[in-house]
Amino acid sequence: MQIAKKITLLFAILSAVIISLLSGFVWYFSNEFAFEDFYKRLEARVNIAAQIKLYEDDNNSIYAKMRNQYLERLPSEREFIIDPKKTTSQVDRELPKSFYKKISSGAMARYRVDNHFYAGKYFKTSKGGYIVIISANDPFGFRELKDLQKILIIGFFLSIILSFVVGWKFSDYMLIPLRNIIKSVKKIKAENLHMRLDVKKGSDEMSQLAQTFNNMLNRLETAFETQNNFISNASHELRTPLTVISGEVELAMKPGQDLAQQQQALAKIKNEAERLEHILTSLLGLAQSGFNGKNQPWEEVRMDELLWEIKDSVNQVYPNSIIQIDFSKLPEEESLLTLKVNKNLVKLAISNVVSNACKYSNEKLVSIGIESNGQTLSIAVTDRGIGIPQTDIQHIFEPFYRASNTNAYKGYGVGLPLSLNIVRLHRGSIAIKSQEGVGTEIKIILPLFSM
């Protein structure tokens, strides 16, 4: 069953239960209080009848005249003056003992049989005690209850139908964002993983669902790009050192080679084997960064403290480099500096950027700045090195791609792509600004809060 039908059915059932309870409540209290006015009219007649029939008073004739003129006679109205000493029934029907018990306590008693009502009270006179009972029919009250019953039954079924229609429209309206998400997700395939869902402003479940899909697509896109890059580049990058090693082995195995030539061939084989090892290590690191990064635990990390660790580790590789950390824009609140990240991966990503800055700056100043705007935390690494030609900037994050002016520097073109993959896994981004011969600035932007 579709969610819309389930919501509609549940809405209709809940509405039926609520309307049933409300109708029962209305019916109960209407039934209890519908005849209250009629009982009061009977009780007034009981008092007047007692005054006229039981008490000798000069005003009795006036009471009788007023009763006849101003009190209309009720349908089937009868009055009974009962002497309690007589054992024979003096009423048109046998009334319950509870009725007489209430009368004997001095209170006004009430009783109803279908549409026939009784009201009675005990009066003490000089001649003795008497019970005055007035009975009458109330066709109007009963008719009103019957009409109310019909109205409640008809209203119940009409309300159920209306609640079903409203529930269907309501569920259809509420599920529009979900249908849009489904429609958008169906359009996304392996060849267009760059597409993202439209996330509406707010923190409702639909926005969270769309954001969750986008986060998943970020990871999938990274994984697919990593896989494609690995496949497309591995064969090319691995073939070159293997070809060299194979050629040198054949050369060393030729008869008549002297020891010096063999030593030279073995040295070349060793160098190419080391190069092959570096390439394999880089490829594996690049491939592993395409996963969700949760093979290692995520933890709360203060990024300013992490920058000191990165500075120390890079200085061990480039001891002559000058690395300066700029804390002038550091926020005072610790929460604006703390991120929940995979510390090892983030440290690797930033270290790659700082290492490149040191390597290509020829021992000139490398500045690391950290800044937070309340939503994101950015780390800017600026060098005064050789810079990147404008034609190469768009390819700089492609695996194994190296700028045209880096031939004099040893490298494999994996550091920045690896950093980009890691930053993407943390829902961040990397911006680059460079000018050849002037220097390069790479800014890593990470969200402060998990989405």
Side-chain angles (χ1 to χ4, degrees):
M1 185 182 292
Q2 294 180 345
I3 295 179
K5 293 181 179 178
K6 288 182 180 180
I7 294 176
T8 303
L9 184 60
L10 181 61
F11 187 81
I13 292 173
L14 291 176
S15 299
V17 173
I18 294 173
I19 294 170
S20 299
L21 292 175
L22 180 61
S23 299
F25 179 84
V26 171
W27 171 255
Y28 174 77
F29 284 98
S30 297
N31 193 53
E32 286 292 319
F33 299 109
F35 307 117
E36 182 68 23
D37 180 66
F38 191 75
Y39 272 124
K40 288 182 177 179
R41 294 168 69 183
L42 286 181
E43 291 171 356
R45 283 165 173 76
V46 168
N47 292 323
I48 293 174
Q51 180 67 37
I52 295 172
K53 297 292 180 68
L54 299 180
Y55 297 99
E56 295 180 0
D57 196 321
D58 295 338
N59 297 323
N60 279 3
S61 58
I62 299 175
Y63 283 129
K65 185 178 180 179
M66 289 179 62
R67 184 189 188 287
N68 294 330
Q69 287 184 354
Y70 297 106
L71 289 180
E72 62 173 333
R73 191 165 187 83
L74 299 175
S76 303
E77 179 182 344
R78 296 181 63 185
E79 66 179 41
F80 305 94
I81 309 296
I82 301 172
D83 186 354
K85 297 177 182 178
K86 296 182 180 181
T87 56
T88 58
S89 175
Q90 303 172 51
V91 191
D92 58 349
R93 73 175 65 225
E94 188 71 25
L95 298 178
K97 293 182 179 180
S98 59
F99 181 82
Y100 290 107
K101 187 176 181 181
K102 191 169 185 180
I103 288 177
S104 63
S105 67
M108 184 74 73
R110 295 176 176 182
Y111 181 67
R112 178 173 67 87
V113 180
D114 295 330
N115 194 30
H116 201 62
F117 295 79
Y118 294 86
K121 189 178 180 181
Y122 179 80
F123 295 91
K124 190 174 182 180
T125 67
S126 58
K127 297 178 181 180
Y130 293 92
I131 298 174
V132 178
I133 298 176
I134 303 294
S135 68
N137 290 336
D138 182 19
F140 302 106
F142 242 69
R143 190 183 308 154
E144 289 174 357
L145 280 179
K146 290 292 183 182
D147 292 341
L148 177 62
Q149 187 179 30
K150 291 179 182 178
I151 291 172
L152 290 176
I153 293 174
I154 295 172
F156 173 79
F157 288 105
L158 289 177
S159 299
I160 295 302
I161 296 172
L162 181 62
S163 65
F164 187 86
V165 174
V166 171
W168 178 260
K169 294 294 183 183
F170 173 77
S171 61
D172 184 67
Y173 172 77
M174 292 302 295
L175 292 175
I176 287 176
L178 183 59
R179 292 194 184 99
N180 292 336
I181 290 176
I182 294 173
K183 190 183 298 182
S184 300
V185 170
K186 284 183 178 179
K187 295 178 182 178
I188 300 175
K189 297 180 175 59
E191 59 271 14
N192 60 355
L193 280 174
H194 62 278
M195 293 180 61
R196 293 294 180 269
L197 304 182
D198 183 23
V199 180
K200 303 294 183 183
K201 292 183 178 179
S203 57
D204 60 353
E205 286 76 5
M206 291 302 175
S207 298
Q208 293 178 15
L209 179 62
Q211 186 61 55
T212 301
F213 268 112
N214 285 343
N215 294 339
M216 181 190 69
L217 289 171
N218 287 337
R219 295 192 294 270
L220 285 176
E221 183 181 16
T222 303
F224 268 78
E225 287 182 358
T226 301
Q227 182 184 27
N228 291 334
N229 290 331
F230 186 90
I231 294 172
S232 61
N233 292 291
S235 59
H236 172 75
E237 295 297 326
L238 294 176
R239 186 179 294 115
T240 302
L242 287 175
T243 302
V244 174
I245 291 174
S246 177
E248 293 297 329
V249 169
E250 290 179 1
L251 185 63
M253 291 176 63
K254 282 186 178 181
Q257 295 291 329
D258 57 20
L259 184 59
Q261 289 177 326
Q262 289 181 345
Q263 290 290 336
Q264 185 179 1
L266 290 174
K268 191 68 177 291
I269 292 172
K270 181 177 180 296
N271 291 335
E272 292 300 320
E274 290 177 352
R275 180 186 175 193
L276 185 59
E277 181 184 1
H278 284 299
I279 292 174
L280 287 172
T281 302
S282 300
L283 285 171
L284 289 175
L286 191 61
Q288 289 173 354
S289 69
F291 297 104
N292 61 12
K294 292 189 177 179
N295 294 326
Q296 303 175 47
W298 287 44
E299 57 188 299
E300 299 284 343
V301 177
R302 276 198 56 148
M303 299 305 293
D304 54 340
E305 296 176 356
L306 184 64
L307 291 182
W308 286 111
E309 296 180 20
I310 292 171
K311 178 180 181 298
D312 293 338
S313 62
V314 174
N315 275 334
Q316 292 179 4
V317 181
Y318 301 98
N320 296 325
S321 295
I322 304 172
I323 303 175
Q324 183 181 49
I325 302 179
D326 181 12
F327 289 138
S328 61
K329 297 181 180 179
L330 200 67
E332 295 182 359
E333 296 183 28
E334 182 179 350
S335 60
L336 299 180
L337 287 169
T338 305
L339 301 180
K340 189 172 185 179
V341 296
N342 186 310
K343 182 177 179 180
N344 292 332
L345 288 181
V346 170
K347 184 177 180 180
L348 176 60
I350 301 174
S351 296
N352 285 341
V353 176
V354 177
S355 296
N356 279 353
C358 293
K359 179 166 62 175
Y360 298 117
S361 64
N362 298 318
E363 301 180 359
K364 294 179 182 178
L365 177 66
V366 173
S367 178
I368 305 175
I370 182 170
E371 184 179 358
S372 175
N373 62 4
Q375 297 294 325
T376 59
L377 184 141
S378 60
I379 298 171
V381 180
T382 307
D383 65 61
R384 295 167 177 78
I386 62 174
I388 304 172
Q390 293 301 311
T391 55
D392 294 333
I393 288 181
Q394 59 182 333
H395 304 289
I396 204 66
F397 291 107
E398 296 176 9
F400 301 104
Y401 183 89
R402 302 194 69 203
S404 56
N405 59 343
T406 60
N407 293 330
Y409 301 87
K410 186 178 180 180
Y412 302 96
V414 178
L416 286 181
L418 180 57
S419 296
L420 178 61
N421 281 359
I422 294 172
V423 171
R424 280 181 175 177
L425 292 176
H426 290 79
R427 298 178 298 279
S429 60
I430 294 182
I432 184 169
K433 181 173 64 175
S434 182
Q435 183 176 351
E436 190 174 7
V438 176
T440 302
E441 179 185 8
I442 295 181
K443 182 177 288 188
I444 297 174
I445 303 171
L446 295 170
L448 275 173
F449 308 102
S450 300
M451 293 180 286

